[in-house]
């Protein structure tokens, strides 16, 4: 891309600490409009904490968070209200409301739109359910009646209900079988391209990284160690990054990508 | 939303020209939908999207519905001037428009449906009773095993549950039975004074508390407090597959979870009942002194002379039975919890209702039984 890239999430000097355990220190990160950013890191490097910090579920001890041009640390309620409708979050196991059907779950964010009549709301929910690849009959089911993969899809449908600018996905392919995981990767990629989504994706899955991510950010040593395309990651001279992108699994994922 | 949606319709001889400009998102839908619906499906439609800057799936969905309506009437809808990313989105939405499945067969309707529902309820109730008896049998069987192999018994768990269901319930049980004693003395006094038989208030308090109220009240408090706690604890273990994990590790849930809990109740409920008796008599005694001027000495003499000690045994002999009922109902409801949070809540409230109901039914049966044998 030649033009100046539009930054939708800008983190500066984030400091997160639980008791004496410092999770993030002086962490900077930029996420550009329309890209799929994969966030990787070893267990306990605070990938999920970082996601929660951006969406406001975790207040950092220090630092600046700017999303879509709004300062979320200083802007208070007003800034949060502005961005709340413009992002969607898919939690690890979907985090669907268990007392509501899938359709009702997807309708929850749509209730924020004033004057939308119930018939249209249900039709839009059905459209979203269909777009994430669930069958019509899934809409009437309760989350407990769905498999893990279907719950994740339903969670994604809820996250996409308002056509947000940014979606946050926490381990979208964890616990899925390889075929289901590959289908989910394709789904994320296709949706992000046709809807112009910016995707912030926390993952452990190398296949997902190779298949869908435009850029990768590696969390290590309490900050974003490096960020760049996956090809650039291969050239980074850091033991953890090197092991991660040159291990047997990474090679397998790379070969798999070459074949498709 | 800096750019509002503008929607204009020009009708020519052979087509409607629909021009959209600005931003068309879900927020514009309530305003735009009636206007799109107002476009008559009587000629072809030309959709001009050249000035449309942004479109979301909700907007694309509304345009797709317009197209479907026009196509149904036998005309065509053509789109012109749409930016590539907008037409890509519209294609994707069009491909994803869901088609309803055939409605599911919901079973018989009308009178047959009602009878069907009643029949199913009755069968469910029968099954429910079976499940309860099964849990009770399982508890007895595992209890027997524990007695034969005391080394495998979870003594620490028993002590912890005793503290929880017994010791921690003492304050609330004491307070409530004290108050019931006060109420009985006060009500009894006002009635008996009319006959000049104030002194019989002691008999009234003693017999009603020792025989019935002390243990019944305690059981109801414990049913509310402990049955629900058992259900919630076992139910959340069930939800997180801890019970399944136990079984694969060769630990029997009835042995590890039921036996210590129910045994703790069996040991503690008689003690709590005794506490309730003492506190009820104390409350009644104090109130008698204050309202009727029956001195503590007279109260004590009257209590010992007028009330047979068998009343205490008649009351307390019920305690272990109530304890088993409350414990089995609570544990069994916990095992019935499904994999969602709602069923945990439903089973917890079920457990309390069923435990209180069963305790009162059992109490009624005891009353008839003791009356028949003349105690």
């Amino acid at each position: 891309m030649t033009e100046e890239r539009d930054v939708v999430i800008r983190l500066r000097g984030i400091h997160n600490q639980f008791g004496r355990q410092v999770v993030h220190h002086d962490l900077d990160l930029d996420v550009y409009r329309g890209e799929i950013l994969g966030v990787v890191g070893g267990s306990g490097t605070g990938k999920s904490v970082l996601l929660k910090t951006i969406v406001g579920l975790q207040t950092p001890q220090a630092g600046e968070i700017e999303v879509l041009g709004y300062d979320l640390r200083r802007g208070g309620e007003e800034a949060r209200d502005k961005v709340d409708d413009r992002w969607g979050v898919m939690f690890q196991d979907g985090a669907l409301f268990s007392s509501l059907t899938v359709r009702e779950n997807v309708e929850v964010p749509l209730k924020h739109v004033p004057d939308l009549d119930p018939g249209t709301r249900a039709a839009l929910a059905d459209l979203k359910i269909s777009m994430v690849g669930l069958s019509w009959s899934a809409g009437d089911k309760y989350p407990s009646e769905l498999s893990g993969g279907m719950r994740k899809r339903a969670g994604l449908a809820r996250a996409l209900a308002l056509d947000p600018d940014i979606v946050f996905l926490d381990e979208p392919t964890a616990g899925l079988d390889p075929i289901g995981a590959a289908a989910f990767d394709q789904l994320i990629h296709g949706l992000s391209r046709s809807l112009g989504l910016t995707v912030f994706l926390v993952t452990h899955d190398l296949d997902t990284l190779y298949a869908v991510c435009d850029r990768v950010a590696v969390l290590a040593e309490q900050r974003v160690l490096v960020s760049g395309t996956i090809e650039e990651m291969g050239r980074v001279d850091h033991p953890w990054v090197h092991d991660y992108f040159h291990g047997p699994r990474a090679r397998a994922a790379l070969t798999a990508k070459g074949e498709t | 939303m800096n750019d509002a949606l503008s929607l204009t319709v020009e009708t020519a001889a052979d087509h409607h020209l629909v021009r959209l400009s600005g931003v068309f998102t879900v927020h514009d839908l309530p305003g735009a939908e009636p206007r799109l619906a107002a476009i008559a499906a009587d000629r072809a439609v030309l959709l001009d999207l050249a000035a449309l800057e942004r479109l979301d799936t909700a907007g694309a969905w509304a345009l797709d519905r317009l197209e479907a309506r026009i196509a149904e009437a036998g005309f065509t809808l053509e789109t012109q001037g749409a930016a590539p990313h907008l037409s890509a989105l519209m294609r994707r939405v069009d491909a994803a428009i869901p088609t309803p499945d055939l409605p599911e067969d919901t079973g018989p309707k009308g009178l047959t449906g009602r009878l069907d529902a009643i029949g199913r309820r009755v069968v469910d109730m029968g099954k429910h009773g079976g499940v309860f008896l099964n849990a009770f049998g399982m508890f007895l069987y595992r209890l027997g095993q524990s007695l034969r192999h005391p080394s495998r018994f979870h003594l620490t768990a028993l002590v912890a549950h005793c503290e929880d269901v017994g010791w921690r319930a003492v304050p609330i049980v004491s307070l409530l039975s004290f108050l019931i004693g006060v109420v009985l003395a006060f009500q009894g006094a006002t009635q008996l004074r009319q006959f000049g038989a104030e002194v019989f208030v002691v008999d009234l308090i003693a017999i009603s508390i020792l025989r019935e109220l002390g243990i019944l009240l305690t059981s109801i408090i414990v049913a509310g407090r402990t049955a629900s706690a058992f259900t919630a604890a076992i139910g959340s273990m069930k939800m997180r597959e801890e019970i399944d994990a136990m079984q694969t590790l060769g630990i029997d849930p009835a042995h590890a979870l039921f036996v210590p809990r129910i045994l703790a109740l069996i040991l503690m409920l008689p003690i709590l009942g005794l506490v309730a008796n003492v506190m009820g008599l104390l409350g009644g005694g104090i109130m008698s002194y204050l309202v009727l001027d029956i001195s503590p000495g007279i109260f004590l003499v009257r209590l010992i002379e007028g009330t047979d000690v068998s009343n205490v045994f008649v009351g307390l002999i019920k305690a272990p039975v109530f304890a088993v009922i409350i414990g089995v109902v609570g544990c069994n409801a916990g095992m019935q919890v499904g994999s969602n949070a709602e069923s945990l809540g439903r089973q917890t409230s079920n457990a309390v209702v069923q435990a209180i109901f069963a305790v009162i039914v059992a109490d009624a049966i005891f009353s008839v039984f003791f009356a028949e044998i003349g105690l």
Side-chain angles (χ1 to χ4, degrees), chain B residues 20 78 95-96 181 293-294 302 373:
Chain B
L20 288 171
E78 273 181 46
D293 288 331
I294 299 174
R302 187 75 213 155
I373 65 167

Side-chain angles (χ1 to χ4, degrees), chain A residues 10 29 32 90 99 146 158 167 171 199 222 237 244 250:
Chain A
R10 187 196 304 274
L29 181 66
Y32 303 108
M90 190 199 99
S99 56
L146 301 179
R158 187 177 69 182
V167 276
E171 306 250 356
V199 181
Q222 302 164 358
D237 187 26
Y244 194 91

Side-chain angles (χ1 to χ4, degrees), chain A residues 10-25:
Chain A
R10 187 196 304 274
L11 303 179
R12 289 291 176 270
I14 298 294
H15 184 89
N16 267 313
Q17 190 169 355
F18 299 103
R20 302 174 91 185
Q21 190 203 354
V22 178
V23 181
H24 300 134
H25 179 67

